[in-house]
Amino acid sequence: MRTRVRDCLRSVWTAALLGLGATLALAEIPDRALDAQLAQLDRFGYNEPEKAAQQLRALLAEPSHAPHRLHIEYTLGRNAVQAGRPDDVRRIARELEARPGGRPLSRMLLAELQDRQGQTGRSGEMAQLALDELAPACPAAGTPSTPAIPPGCDARVMIQALRLIARAQGARGEYAFAETSLRRALSLAQAIQDHSVTGTMMGSLAVNSQVRDESPAAQQWLAQAWQLAQGDVSAMSRAKMVESMVASRRGDRPAQLSALEDALRLAEQAGGRRDVALLQNNLLDAYIHTDQSAKAVQLARLALPVVQFYNDQTVERTLRHNLSVALVQQRQFEPARREIARVLEMAQGDFDPVRRALQLRELGEAYAKVGQAKEALRLYHEERALSADTARRNRESSLQQLRLKYDSEAKQRDLELLRREQTLKGRELGNRRLAQYVGVGLAALLGLSLILMGVMLARVREANRRLKVNQSLLRAASERDPLTDLANRRHFLAVMDRHAKDVFTGALLMIDIDHFKHVNDRHGHAAGDAVIIEVSRRIAQAVRAEDLVVRWGGEEFLVFARNVAPDQLQLLAERVLFIVGGEPVQTAAGPLRVTCSIGFAHFPLPPAQLALHWEQAVNWADMALYTAKSQGRNRARGIVTVAAGDAQALIQIEADFDAACSSERVQLQTILGPESPEVPGAD
């Protein structure tokens, strides 16, 4: 599943960054030989924690290493994290806290322990506290203009802190902020010339870029990470694992399976038992998505004991979720429910909306596939609410990043203007001194000063005008979908804010391309983009000029018809249905037959004409769409009447829409789509 993007990436980061060492900001940094030895033991301890711990304790007992005791103890604490010994981690953290210079290292140990236990949000908060203490010694670290790390800057621990902070930001859907943290960590890794850590940060940036649908950037980061990994079998295995995550997010199952098989082969060659179990978990996810549920269950049973041996609760949560999906696919509902309950129990205290939304989506799809419509509908509505919240967080973080960028540029312009004004004032003072001797020259100099001031003010006005134009263009561009040039969700929200703040009136059509995932899987991402573009054009052609067409997300579209009459709404839905599915879509892969499913309704809902907020209206159209999809797709389902006398009755119907339809409290009309000749495609 797509939560593998973050959960596997956490393990990739952990395995590679075990070599970061534990240099201490306020204590003497070990010599290079000792630092390299500790980094090697850190990496070795990922798969063999007990053997690594014995060698670390031997180093701690050597008198010559007394000045670096804090550094060795911190590395021993990190080893306890990897070994799944939380009591030892807390004990070492308390001992470090009580010693001079040990507080940031103590906090980092606790942050890594929380991350290991699946408490991503708390881990990020604790890592931020450690970073706040470490950052003053690195005032310019992480910037492109800094070729070297200042003395006393604990760059390795800084990278660890930034890694955990980026994970927490990604878990909240704040991918723009996560990229900033990862780029800073990458700059530090390059400054200390650590190729292993540099490659790991590049892999993290690749996954983050793909999550943001920036495929070219993701491929560029992947290529650089693979180049750095050459010659190191473990690093090459981790690079292939990241490649599989990017392919999974892109929907390219063949590429995902190929990369996973390469990664597993390299991990077995390196002899890392834990790495092999992690990759088996990844293959388990791939088997689920290629209808090999029996094979997935078998693989889960093999990997689970190894993961439990290392007490890796985050990976165990993901493995158990994948197992529950595979069990649902095999109709083993009771064992599946036990695994689902175990996943929720392990997630207590650190709710991750992004992870949970993806889990709900996969479980809903599995239940729908085996005919459990009621359970699938419940999971569908819960996932949509969480996905909407995640999208809002991602949108807010991106807007804040843009705001910070433009604020910085405005401040630079203000500083330049102030510098020019100060220069001008200096010239004016010089002119005044000259005026005491040359009266005629005073007039000329004053005239020149006025001209300069006029030119400068004109330039300032022009700069402000350009800034306003750029802001207007940015605002307009942010409300258009770059692929289809349709309005996007942000534009629709702005329209609703202006025209439907409290009561929504008009009609909504929620449109979903049928089996769109099959287009990407069978014909590639380019064919999928061609289908999206052509379907958006056909929808815009089918509706009226005054109707608003919105790309709601992925393969979903929303039409807002403000002034359409209720008796004309059915004709509008039928026109969209037949224009979209009437002719095959021409792509580089050949003609593809594409159909769609539609849910539509006119508001206020008849016959009681109860007032709804626009978000509720979208939800009703969405529920109608779900019934169209569940009854075979290539059709439209419209709400005719709703037997509800008040708002409370509406809420009860929304809670179990299927039951309301079955009891005829909600009456729906059906429009069947066009029958097309056999053409390869989404169906």
Side-chain angles (χ1 to χ4, degrees), residues 283-284 286-302 322-332 369:
L283 276 171
L284 155 65
Y287 288 150
I288 289 173
H289 288 89
T290 52
D291 298 325
Q292 301 182 68
S293 57
K295 199 170 183 179
V297 171
Q298 181 181 6
L299 200 59
R301 303 298 188 195
L302 288 175
N322 286 341
L323 176 58
S324 69
V325 174
L327 290 170
V328 169
Q329 291 178 347
Q330 290 201 307
R331 298 180 178 273
Q332 298 183 34
K369 192 171 183 179

Side-chain angles (χ1 to χ4, degrees), residues 3 64 83 153 159 230 291 312 384 427 567 572 603 654:
T3 45
S64 61
C153 171
I159 296 171
Q230 297 306 301
D291 298 325
D312 196 333
R384 289 302 297 268
R427 291 176 180 175
D567 58 345
L572 182 62
F603 303 92
E654 286 184 64

